[in-house]
Amino acid sequence: MRRRAVALLMAALMTAGLAATGLTGCGDEGGGRESVRLMVWSPQGDQSKDAGEWLQTCCNAFAEEHPEYDITFVYGVADEASSAGQVSQDAEASADVFLYANDNLTTMTDADALVKFGGIYREEIEKTNSETSLASVMKDGEVYGVPFAINTWFMFYDKSVFTEEDVKNLDTMLEKGVVAFPFTNSWYLPAFYFGNGCTLFGDGTDASKGADFGGEKAQEVTDYLIDLEANPNFRIDDLGSGLAGLRDGSINAIFSGSWDAAAVKEALGDNMGVAALPTYTLNGEEKQMYSYAGTKAVGVNAQSKNMLPAVQLAIFLGNEYSQRLHYELESVVPTHTALLDDPELLSDEVVAAINETFNNTSILQPNLAEMANCWTPVENMGKGIRNGSITHENSAEQTEMMNETMNSDGI
Amino acid sequence: MKKEKMHSAKTKRFINNTIVHTVLGILAVVWVFPIVWVILTSFRAEKGSYVSTFLPQSCTLDNYIKLFTDTTILDFPKMFTNTLVIAIFSCILSTFYVLAASYCLSRLRFKMRKPYMNMAMILGLFPGFMSMIAVYFILKALGMTEGNLIKVALVLVYSGGAALGFQIAKGFFDTIPFAVDEAALLDGCTRWQIFTKITLPLSKPIVIYTTLTAFMGLWLDFIFAKVICRANSDQYTIAIGLWKMLEKEYIDSWYTCFAAGAVLISIPIAALFLYMQRYYVDGLSGAVKG
């Protein structure tokens, strides 16, 4: 109860602050500069000299834009995946502004550690993001972050082996070359199930609907996967074996994300092809694979002592300038609508592929707490097929079992 | 007849030896195998975390060079010095704590002696990281979770509980005859002098053992360092650094460097062990005569 009160107070403070900036905008130049200490967390790459110091550059630009503050920046290192854990453990000693992956949203809202954006700030976020990327940082109608990057996986392939026509269907690809897929990783494997009508939590937000990975539609997919695993041209990508295969030429296509783009480019050179997810042929019908997609977003700590500058900095780190810089320095794929319409960026095939994946061949990864139960059963399905314990004979009951465990809280 | 018997005894011994040596050989391979693999990987020139061959296709020193020159993302030299500083200080402190506590419990008689030993026994039953969160919040309240004070905090964390692990050293001190102490007391030694001038020189093996375990424990510790360092990357220890190298974004380009780092961190431990090993030899020889 008390926490909630604090949150309300924060919201009130923010609006008050909003009014204050509006006022100070006109009068009072120089003189009473407010001294502010802002702690900012980002991955090491964003702060490294070799990669152009994205964070420092953006923060300094922000300070220049806001002469009313005398800001001391304190930088810390926490990548998008681990920052949520740190912040929810001890929000008071955590950064004012940090980057997080949107699937960790619930971890932090449960700990009341994340600020809700309101007023002009919310409008700004709504204005500059597509519906999907906006939805990725929303919970119960509130906006909890400023999206700045798309986070999903797609396909890299060798252009000398596959044509652009081939890469539209996985089974066509398997006839022509060797394809590796992270079969035992539950961030990837559900792609096949989503293709045949399986769903998670309705449209991804309704916990009461549960996981629907059962029935005939799921069993068909399990049967397809068993055959896929047995295909001599199919390899299971595990512990980096896919990338190693691309290097020595034994594998011609892998599924991964932008973090591997540089390594793939080095391995394939001009033959590097990038594409959104292919379809697969199930009982003669073409089914689209769907990946989990999410965003990386800038969040503001609810315990921050400098709420207004922190919120403004978060908005700044997600604006067009910062996202463009992020792309130029580190090839981070932006979410800003203005940038995604930019023909210069779209000529980068990785950006184009991610964008297409995000818009057409992905589902938003649910950020409900119940999602935690959905990882291991799918992973076990992949492992079971790999070691031969799941066969056509028992695929129906094994699929039901997977569905059951995904819907239970049992440990 | 006699000759035949000798002959068969010889054969028997030969067979026995063969079996024993084969078993030992297999075990040695099993134990050494992973270490050899790490060392080979650290010299591997091919990139990436996955290889299809056991032996590297080509060798290079670049992994070691990169570890020390490419410091913008993961600053290995800094982590190495951080860990070394923390390790040296807390090694000295905790060795002193353990030896002092053991000496008191072995030689002095005071009211709290038994209760203390019981308490230590019971506390020792709980894993140390159970108190981790509490330790973190205490350190935070003291303002020691930011900047260079993190090093001090880690030294305190690693050495603070050391006095509870007195059992082995106390057992060793118990074997040194009281007569030696009494003789020294009669000659006018203080307790402190007995401890430093008589007990310690007589107990070199256990001093060495304590130092080694104290050093290794924190040299390899990950969990406390991770909890206390949080986002302060300039304070990271090597355990955290090595773990970072295996994250999704870095694993492909840092994997072989990870192996090189693993080889490098074993050097201080190996050096310390080799240097101290010779003191293991004498121990008690020539303590009490007659």
Side-chain angles (χ1 to χ4, degrees):
Chain A
M1 229 20 241
R2 211 163 139 208
R3 284 250 168 112
R4 192 138 297 161
V6 173
L8 275 176
L9 195 82
M10 292 295 176
L13 264 179
M14 273 166 53
T15 4
L18 235 171
T21 31
L23 291 175
T24 47
C26 345
D28 187 45
E29 276 149 43
R33 271 162 47 108
E34 191 187 342
S35 115
V36 174
R37 180 179 181 272
L38 282 181
M39 197 196 266
V40 192
W41 283 355
S42 81
Q44 188 84 63
D46 290 342
Q47 299 172 36
S48 104
K49 269 201 192 89
D50 285 358
E53 299 186 320
W54 173 77
L55 186 66
Q56 289 92 325
T57 317
C58 291
C59 285
N60 292 337
F62 171 76
E64 259 172 48
E65 205 171 88
H66 290 269
E68 72 271 25
Y69 304 127
D70 176 19
I71 313 180
T72 320
F73 289 109
V74 183
Y75 301 110
V77 173
D79 57 41
E80 293 95 352
S82 64
S83 60
Q86 307 269 13
V87 173
S88 51
Q89 267 165 24
D90 185 5
E92 204 186 316
S94 294
D96 299 284
V97 178
F98 50 88
L99 312 182
Y100 69 93
N102 83 306
D103 53 309
N104 295 326
L105 188 75
T106 326
T107 320
M108 286 181 289
T109 50
D110 283 352
D112 279 339
L114 214 49
V115 157
K116 298 167 188 159
F117 288 82
I120 50 163
Y121 301 113
R122 183 177 168 142
E123 279 165 25
E124 176 75 21
I125 300 171
E126 283 169 348
K127 215 165 55 194
T128 57
N129 280 286
S130 70
E131 242 168 71
T132 335
S133 83
L134 183 68
S136 72
V137 291
M138 282 182 71
K139 194 181 173 232
D140 302 331
E142 302 284 353
V143 176
Y144 284 98
V146 191
F148 71 91
I150 295 178
N151 189 20
T152 187
W153 54 272
F154 46 92
M155 183 165 66
F156 293 104
Y157 65 95
D158 188 340
K159 276 184 183 164
S160 64
V161 179
F162 304 111
T163 63
E164 277 190 27
E165 209 44 51
D166 294 337
V167 297
K168 289 190 174 142
N169 185 291
L170 183 64
D171 297 276
T172 323
M173 290 175 75
L174 284 166
E175 282 162 22
K176 286 199 157 183
V178 182
V179 180
F181 185 85
F183 203 74
T184 51
N185 186 327
S186 46
W187 198 46
Y188 296 85
L189 193 62
F192 292 96
Y193 288 93
F194 292 133
N196 202 28
C198 295
T199 55
L200 283 178
F201 313 110
D203 60 350
T205 53
D206 187 354
S208 65
K209 291 216 169 111
D212 180 16
F213 267 53
E216 203 182 320
K217 57 184 186 309
Q219 193 214 327
E220 282 172 4
V221 178
T222 309
D223 281 329
Y224 174 82
L225 291 175
I226 294 169
D227 292 335
L228 178 67
E229 201 270 339
N231 190 317
N233 266 350
F234 179 79
R235 300 278 184 283
I236 290 176
D237 184 356
D238 196 13
L239 305 170
S241 64
L243 200 49
L246 277 188
R247 282 200 181 103
D248 65 22
S250 63
I251 287 172
N252 313 116
I254 63 167
F255 293 84
S256 186
S258 52
W259 55 91
D260 273 341
V264 174
K265 183 86 201 162
E266 200 187 309
L268 296 180
D270 289 340
N271 279 330
M272 175 171 99
V274 196
L277 301 194
T279 57
Y280 65 99
T281 314
L282 183 67
N283 303 332
E285 271 178 68
E286 295 233 325
K287 303 280 180 186
Q288 178 62 51
M289 291 167 71
Y290 291 97
S291 60
Y292 279 129
T295 54
K296 291 176 179 176
V298 192
V300 175
N301 191 333
Q303 307 264 355
S304 171
K305 290 184 187 73
N306 297 300
M307 194 55 79
L308 182 65
V311 169
Q312 285 170 338
L313 177 63
I315 295 283
F316 189 89
L317 289 179
N319 72 9
E320 192 180 340
Y321 163 81
S322 302
Q323 289 200 20
R324 184 182 290 276
L325 190 67
H326 220 164
Y327 167 74
E328 281 163 5
L329 296 174
E330 297 173 68
S331 313
V332 174
V333 179
T335 57
H336 201 288
T337 41
L339 290 172
L340 287 178
D341 289 338
D342 186 339
E344 188 196 333
L345 254 79
L346 284 178
S347 66
D348 180 335
E349 46 187 355
V350 176
V351 177
I354 293 185
N355 200 18
E356 202 193 324
T357 309
F358 192 66
N359 291 332
N360 302 322
T361 70
S362 69
I363 63 152
L364 208 52
Q365 183 176 329
N367 53 26
L368 299 165
E370 286 78 3
M371 189 64 196
N373 303 325
C374 296
W375 299 110
T376 321
V378 180
E379 184 183 331
N380 287 342
M381 174 58 79
K383 286 184 172 161
I385 296 176
R386 178 175 67 178
N387 66 26
S389 65
I390 296 174
T391 59
H392 287 301
E393 282 78 54
N394 62 11
S395 64
E397 92 199 53
Q398 291 286 347
T399 311
E400 277 321 305
M401 205 152 88
M402 169 176 78
N403 190 39
E404 231 166 82
T405 9
M406 284 170 85
N407 282 300
S408 75
D409 272 331
I411 297 167
Chain B
M1 189 67 188
K2 222 178 180 182
K3 213 179 173 186
E4 214 173 57
K5 219 176 189 176
M6 264 179 69
H7 190 73
S8 77
K10 229 179 181 177
T11 339
K12 222 174 172 183
R13 198 183 326 137
F14 177 74
I15 293 172
N16 268 342
N17 279 346
T18 319
I19 295 172
V20 169
H21 279 99
T22 323
V23 172
L24 286 178
I26 293 170
L27 287 180
V29 168
V30 171
W31 284 324
V32 173
F33 197 79
I35 300 169
V36 172
W37 185 82
V38 169
I39 295 175
L40 284 178
T41 305
S42 76
F43 289 108
R44 202 175 84 198
E46 305 100 89
K47 284 184 143 186
S49 57
Y50 179 92
V51 275
S52 43
T53 51
F54 177 71
L55 292 171
Q57 299 298 301
S58 45
C59 289
T60 174
L61 277 175
D62 285 353
N63 299 325
Y64 290 90
I65 297 170
K66 181 177 174 190
L67 212 48
F68 284 97
T69 50
D70 188 352
T71 54
T72 57
I73 293 199
L74 296 160
D75 192 346
F76 189 80
K78 175 116 196 172
M79 296 172 198
F80 201 86
T81 14
N82 282 348
T83 318
L84 200 64
V85 169
I86 297 169
I88 288 171
F89 279 101
S90 58
C91 175
I92 295 171
L93 267 180
S94 58
T95 309
F96 174 72
Y97 288 158
V98 171
L99 294 175
S102 315
Y103 175 75
C104 293
L105 292 169
S106 162
R107 285 302 192 260
L108 308 180
R109 292 290 175 268
F110 48 95
K111 215 174 171 185
M112 282 299 286
R113 184 171 170 269
K114 259 274 140 77
Y116 176 83
M117 289 194 332
N118 289 339
M119 181 199 73
M121 183 76 185
I122 292 167
L123 282 181
L125 295 177
F126 297 101
F129 48 80
M130 245 177 65
S131 60
M132 195 167 59
I133 303 295
V135 168
Y136 167 73
F137 280 106
I138 293 168
L139 289 170
K140 190 184 139 201
L142 294 171
M144 294 174 82
T145 50
E146 266 185 60
N148 275 322
L149 279 175
I150 288 180
K151 287 199 192 81
V152 183
L154 281 173
V155 169
L156 288 181
V157 167
Y158 291 132
S159 56
L164 288 178
F166 59 83
Q167 286 89 349
I168 295 176
K170 176 190 172 282
F172 191 91
F173 289 155
D174 284 345
T175 64
I176 301 174
F178 263 81
V180 185
D181 285 36
E182 279 160 10
L185 268 179
L186 286 178
D187 285 344
C189 273
T190 61
R191 290 283 181 195
W192 175 251
Q193 282 170 323
I194 296 175
F195 177 56
T196 52
K197 299 234 158 76
I198 295 169
T199 315
L200 282 190
L202 285 177
S203 347
K204 270 182 195 147
I206 208 68
V207 176
I208 305 302
Y209 166 80
T210 318
T211 320
L212 275 178
T213 46
F215 187 82
M216 255 162 69
L218 60 102
W219 186 251
L220 304 173
D221 176 75
F222 171 74
I223 191 159
F224 269 101
K226 184 86 179 63
V227 165
I228 291 168
C229 286
R230 288 164 60 89
N232 298 278
S233 63
D234 54 332
Q235 304 295 326
Y236 279 177
T237 64
I238 29 181
I240 306 180
L242 290 178
W243 175 75
K244 284 252 165 208
M245 288 179 198
L246 297 185
E247 286 194 331
K248 185 175 80 178
E249 286 84 359
Y250 304 128
I251 185 164
D252 195 60
S253 51
W254 282 86
Y255 191 75
T256 44
C257 296
F258 163 80
V263 172
L264 286 179
I265 60 162
S266 60
I267 290 175
I269 304 176
L272 195 69
F273 190 81
L274 287 177
Y275 172 74
M276 294 190 143
Q277 200 187 25
R278 54 195 164 127
Y279 297 109
Y280 264 130
V281 187
D282 5 82
L284 271 182
S285 57
V288 188
K289 281 187 179 124

